[in-house]
Amino acid sequence: MTDTPLLDLTGLTKAYPGVVANDSVSLAIMPGEVHALLGENGAGKSTLVKMIYGLVKPDAGSMKMNGEAFAPAEPRAARAAGVGMVFQHFSLFDALTVAENIALGMENAPKLNALSQQIRDVSDTYGLPLSPDRVVGDLSAGERQRVEIIRCLLQEPKLLIMDEPTSVLTPQEVEILFKTLRKLSAEGTAILYISHKLEEIRALCDGATILRLGKVVGECVPAETSARDMAEMMVGTVLQTPTRAGKTPGEVVLELKSLSAKSQSAFGMPLRDISVEVRRGEVLGIGGVAGNGQDELLAALSGEMLTTPGMILFQGREVGLLGPNPRRGLGILTAPEERLGHAAAPDMSLTENAMLTGAAREGLEKGGLLNWGAARQFAEKIIAQFDVRTPGPGNAARSLSGGNLQKFVIGREVLQRPELLVVNQPTWGVDASAAASIRQALLDLAENGTALVVISQDLDELMEISDRFAALNEGRLSPPRPAHDLTVDEIGLMMGGAHGMEVAHV
Amino acid sequence: MIRLEKRPEPSRAFSLATPLLAVVATMVFGGLLFIALGKDPLTSIQTIFWEPLFGEFAFYYRPQLLIKGAPLVLIAIGLSLGFKAGIWNIGAEGQYIMGALFGAGMGLAFYPLEGWYIFPLMVMAGGFGGWLWAMIPAFLKVRFGTNEILVSLMLVYVAEQFLASMSLGLLKNPEGFGFPGSRNLQQYESAYNADLIAGSGMHWGVVAAMIAVIFAYVLLSKHRLGFAIRVTGEAPRAAKFSGVNPTRLVLFCMGMSGLLAGLAGLFEVSGPAGQVTIDFNVGYGFTAIIVAFLGRLHPVGILLAGLLMALTYIGGDIAQSNLGLPAAAIQVFQGMLLFFLLALDMFTNYRLRFGRAEVA
């Protein structure tokens, strides 16, 4: 290794109307270094890497690559200079094969045969098992990510940027990815790794830069810093860990008996033979990689999707054929994953959105006539108790930030005193302190005797609040197990392992 | 470089201003059109907008405003309920025809009997006819997932054939010397939808339109069903999550718009038109679509838009006879109104930004 950093950023600044996304950010990455970029949503991580990748032009500051000035005008220039990027959301065509997809993204793509050979070589070298002839539509999320990584590696990058790469992977797939990244690093490729999963960063990265509100607030060596310290640097305050008193669960509230149902959407996952019980005061955590039946399970419980009556028992009563409102009347409340357009109507005010699910239980409606005054009070109550940052209940739902809308949507259900609350991704895209308060609210509900089903992709979250844990895989639910003594390996196996892929031979 | 930027909140000011701006833009570009046709633009626009209200013959034109406005408002109110929920009944013209046929058929079945109950029965039959015609696309949509736009539109042409068949066959006036067309209901007292105050243009259809405006206003702002309609239009998944039954909503909205279109047809055939003829329908059902959007799908807005549209109809007629403007020019003029309204509508949710665009 030399002393010249591969990439040296000095005083990078980028302002958007109303917000400074990056305020004089400096950062150096040595060749072969795995460098973490840490920060909450909105801290400016994405803006920073977009500048490096030529998608956004900085207002001020300079970048140097190997000691020479570097100012890519577009991603093509950045790629030519040796920067590769794997985005969080894949840009692949389902109907094409792996090789065709990769060819589409190349400047001078070789003949498909030659390219397939190159793909096989790269995938062997870096332990990324992938056949170039497979159709992308059949691949798991982990395999799709490999397509994106190989697409970058074919250009032999000197710097590889990875944006939240593990959010779609099982623990076993994460292991495969890490082995590949370590091998790349050993060969001298620098990696800029964006994540907010602290344990991963401690396991993988050599150095870390922490951003908060667009500014660098700290640097650390992850292996020598505790996850808690890093989290507090990210948030800027001392974190409250949600707490609850241990309690023996009460009688069964929800019982699923061989719940099977076809998905309502063409690309959905059918539910297959799901049997489970949830008791009063208990939190059942359901993990699994996205798209394995989470949305369908929520729809079956909320009443958006009707099932054979006897498959869903609520307090001993068959509810499979009841729609959402009769179920709300019984005390079954739900909060879907997609905030805008599903849990809330984007262009409607918060008052109207409070009416959306609160009409029956909060007495906002009498004989079909709506009481807007009461709805407004209910909205104000949610805003006050869940610390929703908004000028008032008359504002449109879409004007709220993701985290604030999430607090509103969860608060709306929590305040209706549910007997059973089902939430999907309760803290998705929410900053750490808001996430902690949402989790605390869920635990408080359980404390008061509500039965909870928490569906989430965030394993740390599930381990923190669940009494029992089960995983959804291909629409099947594993038998639930007590959460406190599960290891990461066991969870990974419950989630379906590495989707039948062999572990990398590195 | 100019680009559009989404507003964080829809602009209320723009939402209210766009109809006015659209009228102004229509006057400007309509004026240019009239110049191109070799007419004096100021006189033309004055003839269209001023003459019917305050001109020499305004005493004749003002009642016409109500007579032409009432069916437009009545139909547009019904359409707006569906449009708000994303249910597109484009076939109000057909439902209007069927309402007229059912209603007139009911009345003529009693001829020459006189009785107070005959007109109410005709009203019910008219509403039923329109409702029935709208239930065809509604049922096909909820049962087989067909597109209600296509089916309701195609049924307009079926209804027109029915109309021709009826005026040449079943409903033809036996004392009409072989001319096509039914008996004139204006000469059949129990079935005649006469002016409530003679010479005012104020017939039962005008009353029905006013009631429909009030009914729609209360429904949309105060009732659960109106809320369900609005949520479904804004976010269908959120509506389903909140417990709206999409099937029932389609049946209600289609049925309601058919019912009101049918009533409009009945009031027209039993009043101003007087008889079932081959060319009974003059496009109210299609123009009402413009009226619904011009009125922002809001009941009060639709009332104003209906009157404005009626004004351009009447003023257009005057301009045709006095200035020799072609009928097509008047239609282009009316089309411009909708065009500018929809175009300016963008600015409710977006604003213009000048300057270089940010990549990505």
Side-chain angles (χ1 to χ4, degrees), chain A residues 14 55 304 325 328 341-342 347 352 356 365 368 370 372 396 398, chain B residues 7-9 221-222 224 230 234 237-238 240-242 358-359:
Chain A
K14 175 74 205 176
L55 282 166
E304 289 165 273
N325 271 328
R328 283 190 188 109
H342 193 181
D347 286 332
E352 288 170 307
L356 200 64
E365 171 195 339
L370 307 175
W372 287 112
R398 78 162 193 243
Chain B
R7 295 176 193 269
E9 291 260 344
S221 61
K222 298 274 183 222
R224 180 178 51 187
R230 290 194 293 133
E234 297 266 356
R237 280 186 82 199
K240 197 157 183 229
F241 174 62
S242 84
E358 197 65 60
V359 187

PDB file of all heavy atoms in Angstrom, chain A residues 14 55 304 325 328 341-342 347 352 356 365 368 370 372 396 398, chain B residues 7-9 221-222 224 230 234 237-238 240-242 358-359:
ATOM      1  N   LYS A  14     -22.958  20.283  -0.871  1.00  0.00           N
ATOM      2  CA  LYS A  14     -24.048  20.261  -1.843  1.00  0.00           C
ATOM      3  C   LYS A  14     -25.326  20.686  -1.120  1.00  0.00           C
ATOM      4  O   LYS A  14     -25.696  20.101  -0.116  1.00  0.00           O
ATOM      5  CB  LYS A  14     -24.228  18.838  -2.394  1.00  0.00           C
ATOM      6  CG  LYS A  14     -25.412  18.679  -3.309  1.00  0.00           C
ATOM      7  CD  LYS A  14     -25.153  19.299  -4.658  1.00  0.00           C
ATOM      8  CE  LYS A  14     -26.434  19.687  -5.345  1.00  0.00           C
ATOM      9  NZ  LYS A  14     -26.190  20.376  -6.632  1.00  0.00           N
ATOM     10  N   LEU A  55     -23.372  11.442 -10.442  1.00  0.00           N
ATOM     11  CA  LEU A  55     -24.800  11.671 -10.631  1.00  0.00           C
ATOM     12  C   LEU A  55     -25.202  13.074 -10.193  1.00  0.00           C
ATOM     13  O   LEU A  55     -26.194  13.616 -10.647  1.00  0.00           O
ATOM     14  CB  LEU A  55     -25.618  10.644  -9.838  1.00  0.00           C
ATOM     15  CG  LEU A  55     -25.724   9.252 -10.452  1.00  0.00           C
ATOM     16  CD1 LEU A  55     -26.241   8.257  -9.434  1.00  0.00           C
ATOM     17  CD2 LEU A  55     -26.638   9.273 -11.661  1.00  0.00           C
ATOM     18  N   GLU A 304     -58.371  -7.445   4.203  1.00  0.00           N
ATOM     19  CA  GLU A 304     -58.328  -7.021   2.800  1.00  0.00           C
ATOM     20  C   GLU A 304     -58.403  -8.230   1.884  1.00  0.00           C
ATOM     21  O   GLU A 304     -58.810  -8.141   0.740  1.00  0.00           O
ATOM     22  CB  GLU A 304     -57.040  -6.255   2.520  1.00  0.00           C
ATOM     23  CG  GLU A 304     -57.006  -4.888   3.156  1.00  0.00           C
ATOM     24  CD  GLU A 304     -55.609  -4.336   3.150  1.00  0.00           C
ATOM     25  OE1 GLU A 304     -54.838  -4.629   4.101  1.00  0.00           O
ATOM     26  OE2 GLU A 304     -55.254  -3.624   2.215  1.00  0.00           O
ATOM     27  N   ASN A 325     -63.455  -3.487   8.317  1.00  0.00           N
ATOM     28  CA  ASN A 325     -64.141  -2.746   9.367  1.00  0.00           C
ATOM     29  C   ASN A 325     -64.780  -3.621  10.448  1.00  0.00           C
ATOM     30  O   ASN A 325     -64.628  -3.307  11.628  1.00  0.00           O
ATOM     31  CB  ASN A 325     -65.145  -1.760   8.772  1.00  0.00           C
ATOM     32  CG  ASN A 325     -64.466  -0.430   8.488  1.00  0.00           C
ATOM     33  OD1 ASN A 325     -63.544  -0.047   9.205  1.00  0.00           O
ATOM     34  ND2 ASN A 325     -64.880   0.245   7.442  1.00  0.00           N
ATOM     35  N   ARG A 328     -62.016  -4.488  12.653  1.00  0.00           N
ATOM     36  CA  ARG A 328     -61.638  -3.397  13.543  1.00  0.00           C
ATOM     37  C   ARG A 328     -62.593  -3.329  14.718  1.00  0.00           C
ATOM     38  O   ARG A 328     -62.192  -3.087  15.850  1.00  0.00           O
ATOM     39  CB  ARG A 328     -61.656  -2.068  12.789  1.00  0.00           C
ATOM     40  CG  ARG A 328     -60.449  -1.917  11.919  1.00  0.00           C
ATOM     41  CD  ARG A 328     -60.308  -0.510  11.348  1.00  0.00           C
ATOM     42  NE  ARG A 328     -59.222  -0.565  10.394  1.00  0.00           N
ATOM     43  CZ  ARG A 328     -59.371  -0.481   9.080  1.00  0.00           C
ATOM     44  NH1 ARG A 328     -60.554  -0.274   8.562  1.00  0.00           N
ATOM     45  NH2 ARG A 328     -58.340  -0.600   8.278  1.00  0.00           N
ATOM     46  N   GLY A 341     -50.232   5.535   0.170  1.00  0.00           N
ATOM     47  CA  GLY A 341     -51.048   4.813  -0.789  1.00  0.00           C
ATOM     48  C   GLY A 341     -51.698   3.566  -0.230  1.00  0.00           C
ATOM     49  O   GLY A 341     -52.623   3.049  -0.816  1.00  0.00           O
ATOM     50  N   HIS A 342     -51.207   3.067   0.905  1.00  0.00           N
ATOM     51  CA  HIS A 342     -51.846   1.887   1.489  1.00  0.00           C
ATOM     52  C   HIS A 342     -52.307   2.193   2.917  1.00  0.00           C
ATOM     53  O   HIS A 342     -53.489   2.174   3.204  1.00  0.00           O
ATOM     54  CB  HIS A 342     -50.887   0.698   1.452  1.00  0.00           C
ATOM     55  CG  HIS A 342     -51.571  -0.617   1.739  1.00  0.00           C
ATOM     56  ND1 HIS A 342     -50.919  -1.807   1.788  1.00  0.00           N
ATOM     57  CD2 HIS A 342     -52.866  -0.900   1.984  1.00  0.00           C
ATOM     58  CE1 HIS A 342     -51.773  -2.788   2.052  1.00  0.00           C
ATOM     59  NE2 HIS A 342     -52.958  -2.254   2.182  1.00  0.00           N
ATOM     60  N   ASP A 347     -52.600  12.433  -0.712  1.00  0.00           N
ATOM     61  CA  ASP A 347     -53.048  13.805  -0.916  1.00  0.00           C
ATOM     62  C   ASP A 347     -54.120  14.239   0.073  1.00  0.00           C
ATOM     63  O   ASP A 347     -54.628  15.343  -0.009  1.00  0.00           O
ATOM     64  CB  ASP A 347     -53.572  13.978  -2.351  1.00  0.00           C
ATOM     65  CG  ASP A 347     -52.422  14.011  -3.342  1.00  0.00           C
ATOM     66  OD1 ASP A 347     -51.327  14.436  -2.935  1.00  0.00           O
ATOM     67  OD2 ASP A 347     -52.603  13.601  -4.490  1.00  0.00           O
ATOM     68  N   GLU A 352     -58.254  13.552   7.613  1.00  0.00           N
ATOM     69  CA  GLU A 352     -58.940  12.555   6.786  1.00  0.00           C
ATOM     70  C   GLU A 352     -58.290  11.186   6.937  1.00  0.00           C
ATOM     71  O   GLU A 352     -58.962  10.159   6.923  1.00  0.00           O
ATOM     72  CB  GLU A 352     -58.923  13.001   5.317  1.00  0.00           C
ATOM     73  CG  GLU A 352     -59.855  14.164   5.067  1.00  0.00           C
ATOM     74  CD  GLU A 352     -59.675  14.785   3.689  1.00  0.00           C
ATOM     75  OE1 GLU A 352     -58.538  15.150   3.323  1.00  0.00           O
ATOM     76  OE2 GLU A 352     -60.667  14.918   2.986  1.00  0.00           O
ATOM     77  N   LEU A 356     -59.683   7.481   8.221  1.00  0.00           N
ATOM     78  CA  LEU A 356     -59.531   6.306   7.352  1.00  0.00           C
ATOM     79  C   LEU A 356     -59.702   4.992   8.117  1.00  0.00           C
ATOM     80  O   LEU A 356     -60.418   4.104   7.667  1.00  0.00           O
ATOM     81  CB  LEU A 356     -58.150   6.364   6.692  1.00  0.00           C
ATOM     82  CG  LEU A 356     -57.924   5.565   5.430  1.00  0.00           C
ATOM     83  CD1 LEU A 356     -58.802   6.071   4.319  1.00  0.00           C
ATOM     84  CD2 LEU A 356     -56.460   5.684   5.011  1.00  0.00           C
ATOM     85  N   GLU A 365     -68.097   8.478  13.529  1.00  0.00           N
ATOM     86  CA  GLU A 365     -69.141   8.313  12.531  1.00  0.00           C
ATOM     87  C   GLU A 365     -70.413   7.856  13.224  1.00  0.00           C
ATOM     88  O   GLU A 365     -70.380   7.035  14.135  1.00  0.00           O
ATOM     89  CB  GLU A 365     -68.689   7.228  11.539  1.00  0.00           C
ATOM     90  CG  GLU A 365     -69.759   6.810  10.585  1.00  0.00           C
ATOM     91  CD  GLU A 365     -69.401   5.503   9.889  1.00  0.00           C
ATOM     92  OE1 GLU A 365     -68.219   5.140   9.825  1.00  0.00           O
ATOM     93  OE2 GLU A 365     -70.324   4.842   9.414  1.00  0.00           O
ATOM     94  N   GLY A 368     -73.590   6.738   9.398  1.00  0.00           N
ATOM     95  CA  GLY A 368     -73.084   7.092   8.078  1.00  0.00           C
ATOM     96  C   GLY A 368     -72.586   8.526   7.979  1.00  0.00           C
ATOM     97  O   GLY A 368     -71.856   8.871   7.066  1.00  0.00           O
ATOM     98  N   LEU A 370     -70.268  11.625   9.055  1.00  0.00           N
ATOM     99  CA  LEU A 370     -68.925  11.716   9.620  1.00  0.00           C
ATOM    100  C   LEU A 370     -68.801  12.956  10.504  1.00  0.00           C
ATOM    101  O   LEU A 370     -69.288  14.025  10.155  1.00  0.00           O
ATOM    102  CB  LEU A 370     -67.887  11.772   8.499  1.00  0.00           C
ATOM    103  CG  LEU A 370     -67.989  10.651   7.474  1.00  0.00           C
ATOM    104  CD1 LEU A 370     -66.999  10.866   6.349  1.00  0.00           C
ATOM    105  CD2 LEU A 370     -67.730   9.304   8.132  1.00  0.00           C
ATOM    106  N   TRP A 372     -66.285  15.412  11.513  1.00  0.00           N
ATOM    107  CA  TRP A 372     -64.923  15.853  11.196  1.00  0.00           C
ATOM    108  C   TRP A 372     -64.247  16.520  12.380  1.00  0.00           C
ATOM    109  O   TRP A 372     -63.023  16.463  12.516  1.00  0.00           O
ATOM    110  CB  TRP A 372     -64.935  16.784   9.987  1.00  0.00           C
ATOM    111  CG  TRP A 372     -65.204  16.026   8.724  1.00  0.00           C
ATOM    112  CD1 TRP A 372     -66.306  16.109   7.945  1.00  0.00           C
ATOM    113  CD2 TRP A 372     -64.355  15.052   8.117  1.00  0.00           C
ATOM    114  NE1 TRP A 372     -66.215  15.245   6.882  1.00  0.00           N
ATOM    115  CE2 TRP A 372     -65.031  14.582   6.962  1.00  0.00           C
ATOM    116  CE3 TRP A 372     -63.114  14.512   8.439  1.00  0.00           C
ATOM    117  CZ2 TRP A 372     -64.492  13.613   6.129  1.00  0.00           C
ATOM    118  CZ3 TRP A 372     -62.578  13.545   7.596  1.00  0.00           C
ATOM    119  CH2 TRP A 372     -63.261  13.109   6.471  1.00  0.00           C
ATOM    120  N   ALA A 396     -51.322  17.655   4.263  1.00  0.00           N
ATOM    121  CA  ALA A 396     -51.459  16.413   3.502  1.00  0.00           C
ATOM    122  C   ALA A 396     -50.459  15.385   4.014  1.00  0.00           C
ATOM    123  O   ALA A 396     -49.352  15.728   4.425  1.00  0.00           O
ATOM    124  CB  ALA A 396     -51.233  16.673   2.019  1.00  0.00           C
ATOM    125  N   ARG A 398     -48.680  13.385   2.386  1.00  0.00           N
ATOM    126  CA  ARG A 398     -47.433  13.282   1.618  1.00  0.00           C
ATOM    127  C   ARG A 398     -46.435  14.363   2.007  1.00  0.00           C
ATOM    128  O   ARG A 398     -45.270  14.286   1.661  1.00  0.00           O
ATOM    129  CB  ARG A 398     -47.728  13.311   0.120  1.00  0.00           C
ATOM    130  CG  ARG A 398     -48.016  14.665  -0.468  1.00  0.00           C
ATOM    131  CD  ARG A 398     -47.831  14.596  -2.000  1.00  0.00           C
ATOM    132  NE  ARG A 398     -47.810  15.937  -2.544  1.00  0.00           N
ATOM    133  CZ  ARG A 398     -48.699  16.414  -3.397  1.00  0.00           C
ATOM    134  NH1 ARG A 398     -49.669  15.663  -3.821  1.00  0.00           N
ATOM    135  NH2 ARG A 398     -48.604  17.644  -3.847  1.00  0.00           N
TER     136      ARG A 398
ATOM    137  N   ARG B   7     -45.224  20.132  -5.928  1.00  0.00           N
ATOM    138  CA  ARG B   7     -45.436  20.890  -4.694  1.00  0.00           C
ATOM    139  C   ARG B   7     -45.582  19.928  -3.533  1.00  0.00           C
ATOM    140  O   ARG B   7     -46.162  18.859  -3.683  1.00  0.00           O
ATOM    141  CB  ARG B   7     -46.726  21.701  -4.786  1.00  0.00           C
ATOM    142  CG  ARG B   7     -46.734  22.785  -5.827  1.00  0.00           C
ATOM    143  CD  ARG B   7     -48.120  23.407  -5.853  1.00  0.00           C
ATOM    144  NE  ARG B   7     -48.308  24.250  -7.018  1.00  0.00           N
ATOM    145  CZ  ARG B   7     -48.053  25.549  -7.036  1.00  0.00           C
ATOM    146  NH1 ARG B   7     -47.605  26.136  -5.949  1.00  0.00           N
ATOM    147  NH2 ARG B   7     -48.229  26.259  -8.129  1.00  0.00           N
ATOM    148  N   PRO B   8     -45.079  20.324  -2.350  1.00  0.00           N
ATOM    149  CA  PRO B   8     -45.274  19.459  -1.187  1.00  0.00           C
ATOM    150  C   PRO B   8     -46.755  19.314  -0.830  1.00  0.00           C
ATOM    151  O   PRO B   8     -47.204  18.266  -0.399  1.00  0.00           O
ATOM    152  CB  PRO B   8     -44.501  20.150  -0.072  1.00  0.00           C
ATOM    153  CG  PRO B   8     -44.174  21.515  -0.564  1.00  0.00           C
ATOM    154  CD  PRO B   8     -44.269  21.507  -2.046  1.00  0.00           C
ATOM    155  N   GLU B   9     -47.522  20.383  -1.022  1.00  0.00           N
ATOM    156  CA  GLU B   9     -48.960  20.354  -0.753  1.00  0.00           C
ATOM    157  C   GLU B   9     -49.660  20.827  -2.014  1.00  0.00           C
ATOM    158  O   GLU B   9     -49.183  21.746  -2.671  1.00  0.00           O
ATOM    159  CB  GLU B   9     -49.300  21.355   0.362  1.00  0.00           C
ATOM    160  CG  GLU B   9     -48.793  20.995   1.725  1.00  0.00           C
ATOM    161  CD  GLU B   9     -49.886  20.383   2.575  1.00  0.00           C
ATOM    162  OE1 GLU B   9     -51.054  20.522   2.212  1.00  0.00           O
ATOM    163  OE2 GLU B   9     -49.545  19.739   3.566  1.00  0.00           O
ATOM    164  N   SER B 221     -69.091  15.643   1.482  1.00  0.00           N
ATOM    165  CA  SER B 221     -68.388  16.267   2.599  1.00  0.00           C
ATOM    166  C   SER B 221     -68.748  15.635   3.928  1.00  0.00           C
ATOM    167  O   SER B 221     -67.951  15.692   4.860  1.00  0.00           O
ATOM    168  CB  SER B 221     -68.676  17.766   2.631  1.00  0.00           C
ATOM    169  OG  SER B 221     -70.058  17.983   2.809  1.00  0.00           O
ATOM    170  N   LYS B 222     -69.921  15.029   4.034  1.00  0.00           N
ATOM    171  CA  LYS B 222     -70.359  14.597   5.363  1.00  0.00           C
ATOM    172  C   LYS B 222     -70.571  13.098   5.504  1.00  0.00           C
ATOM    173  O   LYS B 222     -70.669  12.600   6.611  1.00  0.00           O
ATOM    174  CB  LYS B 222     -71.697  15.279   5.722  1.00  0.00           C
ATOM    175  CG  LYS B 222     -71.626  16.781   5.802  1.00  0.00           C
ATOM    176  CD  LYS B 222     -71.175  17.217   7.169  1.00  0.00           C
ATOM    177  CE  LYS B 222     -71.180  18.724   7.269  1.00  0.00           C
ATOM    178  NZ  LYS B 222     -70.037  19.262   7.952  1.00  0.00           N
ATOM    179  N   ARG B 224     -70.126   8.890   4.941  1.00  0.00           N
ATOM    180  CA  ARG B 224     -69.114   7.848   4.795  1.00  0.00           C
ATOM    181  C   ARG B 224     -68.946   7.421   3.346  1.00  0.00           C
ATOM    182  O   ARG B 224     -67.835   7.194   2.872  1.00  0.00           O
ATOM    183  CB  ARG B 224     -69.543   6.641   5.643  1.00  0.00           C
ATOM    184  CG  ARG B 224     -68.567   5.492   5.581  1.00  0.00           C
ATOM    185  CD  ARG B 224     -69.012   4.375   6.466  1.00  0.00           C
ATOM    186  NE  ARG B 224     -70.399   4.013   6.200  1.00  0.00           N
ATOM    187  CZ  ARG B 224     -71.095   3.140   6.927  1.00  0.00           C
ATOM    188  NH1 ARG B 224     -70.560   2.579   7.954  1.00  0.00           N
ATOM    189  NH2 ARG B 224     -72.346   2.850   6.613  1.00  0.00           N
ATOM    190  N   ARG B 230     -64.034   9.444  -2.311  1.00  0.00           N
ATOM    191  CA  ARG B 230     -62.830  10.269  -2.438  1.00  0.00           C
ATOM    192  C   ARG B 230     -61.562   9.462  -2.176  1.00  0.00           C
ATOM    193  O   ARG B 230     -60.577   9.568  -2.908  1.00  0.00           O
ATOM    194  CB  ARG B 230     -62.913  11.462  -1.479  1.00  0.00           C
ATOM    195  CG  ARG B 230     -63.971  12.472  -1.927  1.00  0.00           C
ATOM    196  CD  ARG B 230     -63.828  13.789  -1.202  1.00  0.00           C
ATOM    197  NE  ARG B 230     -64.147  13.646   0.222  1.00  0.00           N
ATOM    198  CZ  ARG B 230     -63.411  14.136   1.197  1.00  0.00           C
ATOM    199  NH1 ARG B 230     -62.318  14.813   0.917  1.00  0.00           N
ATOM    200  NH2 ARG B 230     -63.762  13.986   2.450  1.00  0.00           N
ATOM    201  N   GLU B 234     -58.289   8.725  -4.627  1.00  0.00           N
ATOM    202  CA  GLU B 234     -56.948   9.172  -4.241  1.00  0.00           C
ATOM    203  C   GLU B 234     -55.980   8.005  -4.110  1.00  0.00           C
ATOM    204  O   GLU B 234     -54.836   8.104  -4.523  1.00  0.00           O
ATOM    205  CB  GLU B 234     -57.013   9.873  -2.878  1.00  0.00           C
ATOM    206  CG  GLU B 234     -57.858  11.125  -2.861  1.00  0.00           C
ATOM    207  CD  GLU B 234     -57.026  12.356  -3.098  1.00  0.00           C
ATOM    208  OE1 GLU B 234     -55.794  12.213  -3.203  1.00  0.00           O
ATOM    209  OE2 GLU B 234     -57.600  13.445  -3.184  1.00  0.00           O
ATOM    210  N   ARG B 237     -55.697   1.421  -2.779  1.00  0.00           N
ATOM    211  CA  ARG B 237     -55.288   0.426  -1.783  1.00  0.00           C
ATOM    212  C   ARG B 237     -55.642   0.900  -0.378  1.00  0.00           C
ATOM    213  O   ARG B 237     -56.062   0.125   0.475  1.00  0.00           O
ATOM    214  CB  ARG B 237     -53.781   0.159  -1.861  1.00  0.00           C
ATOM    215  CG  ARG B 237     -53.408  -0.790  -2.967  1.00  0.00           C
ATOM    216  CD  ARG B 237     -51.942  -1.135  -2.896  1.00  0.00           C
ATOM    217  NE  ARG B 237     -51.650  -2.187  -1.934  1.00  0.00           N
ATOM    218  CZ  ARG B 237     -50.439  -2.396  -1.441  1.00  0.00           C
ATOM    219  NH1 ARG B 237     -49.437  -1.638  -1.786  1.00  0.00           N
ATOM    220  NH2 ARG B 237     -50.231  -3.377  -0.597  1.00  0.00           N
ATOM    221  N   ALA B 238     -55.450   2.203  -0.136  1.00  0.00           N
ATOM    222  CA  ALA B 238     -55.798   2.747   1.173  1.00  0.00           C
ATOM    223  C   ALA B 238     -57.297   2.620   1.397  1.00  0.00           C
ATOM    224  O   ALA B 238     -57.750   2.350   2.510  1.00  0.00           O
ATOM    225  CB  ALA B 238     -55.357   4.204   1.277  1.00  0.00           C
ATOM    226  N   LYS B 240     -59.260   0.296   0.187  1.00  0.00           N
ATOM    227  CA  LYS B 240     -59.575  -1.092   0.496  1.00  0.00           C
ATOM    228  C   LYS B 240     -59.165  -1.396   1.936  1.00  0.00           C
ATOM    229  O   LYS B 240     -59.880  -2.076   2.675  1.00  0.00           O
ATOM    230  CB  LYS B 240     -58.829  -2.008  -0.476  1.00  0.00           C
ATOM    231  CG  LYS B 240     -59.411  -3.378  -0.480  1.00  0.00           C
ATOM    232  CD  LYS B 240     -59.136  -4.169  -1.747  1.00  0.00           C
ATOM    233  CE  LYS B 240     -59.844  -5.503  -1.643  1.00  0.00           C
ATOM    234  NZ  LYS B 240     -58.971  -6.627  -1.965  1.00  0.00           N
ATOM    235  N   PHE B 241     -58.017  -0.860   2.326  1.00  0.00           N
ATOM    236  CA  PHE B 241     -57.532  -1.060   3.699  1.00  0.00           C
ATOM    237  C   PHE B 241     -58.520  -0.470   4.697  1.00  0.00           C
ATOM    238  O   PHE B 241     -58.731  -1.004   5.772  1.00  0.00           O
ATOM    239  CB  PHE B 241     -56.149  -0.410   3.837  1.00  0.00           C
ATOM    240  CG  PHE B 241     -55.605  -0.410   5.231  1.00  0.00           C
ATOM    241  CD1 PHE B 241     -55.358  -1.612   5.884  1.00  0.00           C
ATOM    242  CD2 PHE B 241     -55.326   0.768   5.892  1.00  0.00           C
ATOM    243  CE1 PHE B 241     -54.847  -1.618   7.170  1.00  0.00           C
ATOM    244  CE2 PHE B 241     -54.816   0.765   7.169  1.00  0.00           C
ATOM    245  CZ  PHE B 241     -54.578  -0.432   7.819  1.00  0.00           C
ATOM    246  N   SER B 242     -59.140   0.655   4.341  1.00  0.00           N
ATOM    247  CA  SER B 242     -60.061   1.285   5.277  1.00  0.00           C
ATOM    248  C   SER B 242     -61.423   0.602   5.263  1.00  0.00           C
ATOM    249  O   SER B 242     -62.301   0.984   6.026  1.00  0.00           O
ATOM    250  CB  SER B 242     -60.215   2.765   4.959  1.00  0.00           C
ATOM    251  OG  SER B 242     -61.179   2.938   3.946  1.00  0.00           O
ATOM    252  N   GLU B 358     -31.113  19.452 -12.101  1.00  0.00           N
ATOM    253  CA  GLU B 358     -30.183  18.586 -11.405  1.00  0.00           C
ATOM    254  C   GLU B 358     -30.261  17.221 -12.070  1.00  0.00           C
ATOM    255  O   GLU B 358     -31.352  16.747 -12.362  1.00  0.00           O
ATOM    256  CB  GLU B 358     -30.658  18.478  -9.958  1.00  0.00           C
ATOM    257  CG  GLU B 358     -29.649  17.957  -8.992  1.00  0.00           C
ATOM    258  CD  GLU B 358     -28.474  18.892  -8.837  1.00  0.00           C
ATOM    259  OE1 GLU B 358     -28.652  20.052  -8.425  1.00  0.00           O
ATOM    260  OE2 GLU B 358     -27.370  18.446  -9.164  1.00  0.00           O
ATOM    261  N   VAL B 359     -29.076  16.605 -12.312  1.00  0.00           N
ATOM    262  CA  VAL B 359     -29.117  15.253 -12.868  1.00  0.00           C
ATOM    263  C   VAL B 359     -29.558  14.306 -11.766  1.00  0.00           C
ATOM    264  O   VAL B 359     -29.180  14.488 -10.616  1.00  0.00           O
ATOM    265  CB  VAL B 359     -27.737  14.860 -13.419  1.00  0.00           C
ATOM    266  CG1 VAL B 359     -27.817  13.535 -14.158  1.00  0.00           C
ATOM    267  CG2 VAL B 359     -27.208  15.937 -14.323  1.00  0.00           C
TER     268      VAL B 359
END
